[in-house]
Amino acid sequence: MSSYKNTETTLIHGGISIDERTGAVNIPIYQTSTYKQDGLGKMRGYEYSRTGNPTREALEAIIADLEGGVAGFAFGSGMAALTAVLSLLHSGDRVLISSNVYGGTFRLLSKVFDHFNITYTIADTTDLAVYESQISSDVKAVIIESPANPLMTVTDIKAVAEVSHRHGLLVIVDNTFMTPYLQKPLELGADIVVHSATKYLGGHSDVVSGLAVVNSKELAERIAFIQNSTGGVLGPFDSFLLIRGIKTLAVRMDRHVENAEKIAKLLEDHKAVKNVYYPGLKSSQGYEINRRQAKNGGAMISFELHENYDINTFFESLELVSLAESLGGVESLVCHPSSMTHASIPADIRKKVGITDGLIRLSVGIENIEDIIADIEQAIAKSERK
Ligand SMILES: *Cc1c(COP(=O)(O)O)cnc(C)c1O
């Protein structure tokens, strides 16, 4: 493994960045399921691609270097990565989740892991006293997202990790929204980082994938065993696409954030806008904490239009910005959390945690800022009820 002083360099030269055999500056796509053995028990380091594949291994090495962990693991999706991590738990265990957790994570716990008697509680990770009071003796892990969408709720990762460790909890951070370029949860005390690499790490909306990084040899052995046993691995071609995406993460992210900061300020002062949620705004809930633990506020913004604006018309009027699930690609995307990304959370819980039907989530792309703003402005103008 090879980490450099600056993340921009590790993105390009970290992990296993040169093909040992040929010197190729890109790791080849080892599109193979199996490997010839030189005799009984005489393997050349690989035996079967579920267990190990050189392209996937290069990806796993780079993400481990980027997050500053002991080992990385690549999966067929973010949900497969979370499934593998939650497979560390046993029947009777309970997981705490932050209240704005990704809808799919909520569904995984409430509709799948509940079959195995692994239960969950929605916890307030933004209030340490309340949070600590929610840790009962059966609680074995916490899943934190910071910022958690759609309300971009910021959690003090270091503080929550400290309280959690005092009670022996495993601290899992979903770092999808920030990426290791903006935030490194293991340095803040987390035990495991997971990613939907489908988003910023891949960065081009062309691959579905998940990653996990652990901070100890013991966890590395256990996750490696689970990865091989449950089998949700990422294929060689998708691993290649992710490595390729990761190389440009820093330059993409810089532009994503530059654009997002401008749009957030514009929305904050806009007469049509009721609320803006963006951790990079001084007025936002978690601005100070986010500034301590992350490089900046990222590039995801949620906002609500006033009642005299029709959000259906707003979505239908957008021309450049696409209405779509997902985020983190080079193109700007907009979504309606209550009917899309967070629809798997029951309506009463959605309401309780503030995911209103008027909420709009924007994944700010890297197009020219003037074009993005012009599109949003014209869609807002058309959506005003006369
Ligand atoms: C998309 C997403 C996931 C799920 O990842 P997939 O790659 O879609 O399986 C998990 N967490 C967060 C925060 C996400 O945005």
Side-chain angles (χ1 to χ4, degrees):
M1 293 212 194
S2 31
S3 300
Y4 295 83
K5 192 165 139 246
N6 297 297
T7 305
E8 291 89 339
T9 309
T10 306
L11 286 165
I12 296 160
H13 298 287
I16 307 162
S17 67
I18 306 277
D19 180 46
E20 275 300 318
R21 201 169 75 82
T22 62
V25 298
N26 286 295
I27 299 301
I29 303 164
Y30 283 91
Q31 196 72 39
T32 188
S33 62
T34 192
Y35 307 83
K36 180 183 187 297
Q37 305 185 6
D38 296 326
L40 287 179
K42 288 188 197 155
M43 272 91 72
R44 303 183 196 179
Y46 302 94
E47 53 186 277
Y48 187 61
S49 278
R50 168 160 39 72
T51 319
N53 175 283
T55 318
R56 193 178 89 221
E57 219 169 72
L59 169 64
E60 293 175 332
I62 181 78
I63 193 63
D65 280 351
L66 287 169
E67 292 286 6
V70 168
F73 300 91
F75 298 90
S77 69
M79 293 325 300
L82 273 157
T83 300
V85 167
L86 290 172
S87 300
L88 290 166
L89 299 172
H90 295 94
S91 169
D93 291 352
R94 180 177 292 273
V95 185
L96 297 180
I97 51 177
S98 34
S99 72
N100 276 205
V101 82
Y102 176 70
T105 305
F106 179 82
R107 181 175 56 200
L108 178 65
L109 280 161
S110 62
K111 298 257 170 71
V112 181
F113 276 91
D114 74 317
H115 300 170
F116 309 112
N117 192 32
I118 291 167
T119 51
Y120 69 92
T121 300
I122 297 175
D124 188 355
T125 55
T126 63
D127 183 322
L128 285 182
V130 174
Y131 174 70
E132 187 157 24
S133 75
Q134 292 178 298
I135 305 178
S136 46
S137 61
D138 56 347
V139 172
K140 295 292 151 54
V142 57
I143 303 177
I144 302 166
E145 288 178 29
S146 186
N149 92 104
L151 299 178
M152 307 309 158
T153 319
V154 172
T155 287
D156 186 333
I157 297 174
K158 197 168 168 203
V160 169
E162 267 167 28
V163 171
S164 305
H165 284 150
R166 231 187 288 139
H167 295 270
L169 272 57
L170 191 67
V171 178
I172 303 158
V173 175
D174 182 334
N175 203 27
T176 300
F177 273 46
M178 284 276 122
T179 82
Y181 180 54
L182 302 186
Q183 174 171 282
K184 296 194 200 276
L186 298 184
E187 287 177 3
L188 298 166
D191 301 298
I192 302 179
V193 172
V194 292
H195 281 281
S196 169
T198 312
K199 317 293 169 53
Y200 289 107
L201 291 172
H204 296 75
S205 306
D206 54 8
V207 58
V208 172
S209 53
L211 296 168
V213 180
V214 299
N215 72 345
S216 73
K217 264 188 89 167
E218 190 239 327
L219 280 173
E221 277 166 21
R222 290 171 68 196
I223 296 283
F225 183 81
I226 291 168
Q227 184 190 38
N228 187 42
S229 303
T230 57
V233 294
L234 191 67
F237 181 64
D238 285 354
S239 297
F240 167 82
L241 283 177
L242 262 195
I243 294 169
R244 181 180 162 95
I246 286 171
K247 285 181 206 269
T248 57
L249 180 69
V251 284
R252 281 188 287 109
M253 217 64 206
D254 285 347
R255 176 64 79 84
H256 279 297
V257 173
E258 186 188 323
N259 284 352
E261 285 173 349
K262 287 180 186 155
I263 292 172
K265 284 208 181 79
L266 176 104
L267 292 173
E268 191 178 34
D269 298 333
H270 204 292
K271 71 171 173 55
V273 177
K274 191 158 101 184
N275 287 309
V276 185
Y277 303 94
Y278 177 64
L281 283 177
K282 282 209 177 81
S283 58
S284 84
Q285 161 262 345
Y287 176 76
E288 280 303 331
I289 294 168
N290 189 70
R291 214 166 61 129
R292 270 206 308 275
Q293 68 188 12
K295 191 169 172 164
N296 53 49
M300 295 296 300
I301 302 171
S302 290
F303 62 100
E304 272 176 303
L305 296 175
H306 282 295
E307 280 73 19
N308 55 326
Y309 291 82
D310 180 66
I311 67 159
N312 271 320
T313 311
F314 173 78
F315 286 126
E316 285 172 17
S317 304
L318 287 167
E319 288 164 10
L320 173 70
V321 181
S322 299
L323 175 63
E325 302 262 3
S326 203
L327 60 110
V330 290
E331 62 285 300
S332 294
L333 299 178
V334 75
C335 96
H336 184 228
S338 73
S339 71
M340 294 167 72
T341 49
H342 290 67
S344 48
I345 298 175
D348 54 322
I349 298 183
R350 277 205 310 267
K351 207 166 160 193
K352 214 171 105 191
V353 299
I355 305 171
T356 64
D357 289 342
L359 199 68
I360 297 164
R361 189 189 78 181
L362 180 63
S363 170
V364 180
I366 65 172
E367 300 95 338
N368 184 292
I369 184 67
E370 286 174 24
D371 295 331
I372 307 174
I373 288 176
D375 195 38
I376 293 172
E377 287 284 17
Q378 65 83 23
I380 289 177
K382 280 191 190 133
S383 67
E384 186 172 6
R385 291 194 186 94
K386 297 275 157 40

